[in-house]
């Protein structure tokens, strides 16, 4: 079972690495982005994962806010890293009924990517919850072809709105504003 999960995680990371690299070859380079139908299931699955700081987290995290911005990212991805300072700033200025959560696509429990993610987030002053996916969340993001990919989840755990592929803070803000009005 552990071998299957590790193999699946490696395969997903390989797919996502190629997706990130096709958008941008250098740190901080502008990326092409688009809004499209979500590459993930319509509902977030039941999960028991941990944050990068080791705290337990379940799908109930979404119930706390009307809309959660879920930024799927990897420690290998220059556009993901480049947008972290802006995501940190955005997280601090969100309305009370919204939150940002990072979903670290290239980490598994006790992997070196967790430490790397902590360093990236600390340097970027991006102090928001980042989740290390369990098997259910890895399956949930299995069809994500490039990172960063950002999706929006309502308080019921339903994926809503359009997915945004590529680093696009203004796009996240626009989609969030639209979803909060609904």
């Amino acid at each position: 079972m552990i071998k299957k999960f590790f193999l699946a995680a490696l395969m997903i990371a390989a797919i996502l690495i190629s997706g990130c690299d096709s958008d941008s070859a250098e740190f901080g380079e502008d990326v092409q982005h688009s809004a499209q139908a979500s590459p993930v299931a319509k509902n977030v699955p039941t999960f028991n994962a941990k944050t990068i700081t080791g705290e337990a987290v379940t799908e109930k995290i979404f119930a706390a806010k009307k809309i959660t911005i879920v930024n799927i990212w990897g420690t290998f991805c220059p556009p993901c890293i480049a947008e972290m300072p802006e995501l940190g700033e955005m997280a601090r200025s969100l309305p009370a009924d919204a939150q940002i959560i990072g979903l670290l696509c290239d980490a598994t429990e006790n992997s070196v990517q967790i430490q790397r993610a902590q360093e990236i987030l600390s340097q970027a002053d991006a102090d928001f919850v980042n989740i290390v996916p369990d098997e259910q969340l890895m399956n949930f993001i299995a069809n994500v072809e490039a990172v960063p990919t950002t999706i929006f989840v309502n308080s019921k755990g339903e994926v809503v709105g359009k997915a945004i592929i590529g680093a696009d803070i203004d796009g996240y803000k626009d989609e969030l504003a639209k979803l909060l009005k609904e």
Side-chain angles (χ1 to χ4, degrees):
M1 178 75 164
I2 292 174
K3 286 182 182 180
K4 277 185 172 180
F5 178 71
F6 184 72
L7 182 59
L10 284 176
M11 288 173 44
I12 289 170
I15 290 168
L16 293 173
I17 288 170
S18 66
C20 180
D21 288 346
S22 69
D23 282 339
S24 175
E26 295 186 29
F27 185 83
E29 183 177 325
D30 287 338
V31 296
Q32 297 176 355
H33 55 83
S34 64
Q36 65 179 34
S38 183
V40 297
K42 292 181 180 183
N43 295 303
V44 177
T46 301
F47 65 88
N48 285 302
K50 292 192 177 181
T51 66
I52 62 169
T53 57
E55 297 150 12
V57 63
T58 70
E59 70 285 349
K60 293 177 183 168
I61 193 167
F62 299 107
K65 303 292 180 177
K66 181 176 180 181
I67 299 293
T68 300
I69 302 164
V70 180
N71 182 260
I72 304 165
W73 71 286
T75 61
F76 57 84
C77 172
C80 300
I81 296 167
E83 76 173 347
M84 281 302 155
E86 289 179 283
L87 284 174
E89 185 178 316
M90 185 178 173
R92 289 185 291 278
S93 65
L94 286 173
D97 53 353
Q99 66 182 337
I100 296 177
I101 292 175
L103 185 54
L104 192 57
C105 71
D106 64 334
T108 56
E109 195 171 340
N110 300 318
S111 68
V112 297
Q113 286 81 7
I114 294 172
Q115 182 178 355
R116 176 73 179 124
Q118 290 170 334
E119 292 167 1
I120 291 166
L121 294 165
S122 176
Q123 290 172 0
D125 195 22
D127 187 26
F128 53 89
V129 173
N130 276 269
I131 297 173
V132 177
D134 65 357
E135 185 174 4
Q136 289 72 27
L137 285 175
M138 285 300 246
N139 289 334
F140 177 67
I141 64 171
N143 291 327
V144 171
E145 294 180 2
V147 293
T149 290
T150 301
I151 60 171
F152 301 83
V153 177
N154 68 17
S155 62
K156 297 175 188 173
E158 300 166 333
V159 177
V160 295
K162 300 282 185 188
I164 299 174
I165 299 172
D168 183 6
I169 298 294
D170 290 335
Y172 308 157
K173 289 177 180 178
D174 291 345
E175 189 68 16
L176 176 63
K178 181 182 120 194
L179 293 169
L180 288 174
K181 288 180 184 177
E182 294 179 355

